[in-house]
């Protein structure tokens, strides 16, 4: 059984993902950097690593609810 994708809270509608941001020296372990745009749903998922970026205070932010 696999772990659920990581969720990252974002301050901006435009986010970048390289799959290894939180891994020290992990650039070789990630994927090419992609820029993603959070839409009206309040979140976007990376097509490479399935990491979900949720806009703080947006409709998908569970902490704001």
């Amino acid at each position: 059984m696999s772990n659920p994708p990581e969720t990252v809270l974002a301050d901006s509608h435009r986010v970048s993902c390289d799959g290894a941001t939180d891994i020290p020296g992990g650039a070789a372990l990630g994927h090419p950097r992609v820029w993603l745009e959070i839409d009206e749903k309040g979140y976007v998922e990376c097509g490479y690593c399935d990491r979900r970026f949720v806009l703080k205070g947006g409709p998908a932010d569970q902490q704001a609810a």
Side-chain angles (χ1 to χ4, degrees), residues 3 5 17 19 27-28 30-31 35 40 42 46 56 63-64:
N3 293 333
C17 184
H31 58 69
W35 289 92
E40 67 278 349
C46 176
K56 287 183 185 176
Q63 294 177 348

Side-chain angles (χ1 to χ4, degrees), residues 25-50:
L29 301 175
H31 58 69
R33 177 171 288 163
V34 292
W35 289 92
L36 308 165
E37 191 76 27
I38 297 174
D39 62 12
E40 67 278 349
K41 296 179 291 189
Y43 72 92
V44 67
E45 294 175 350
C46 176
Y48 283 99
C49 66
D50 293 332

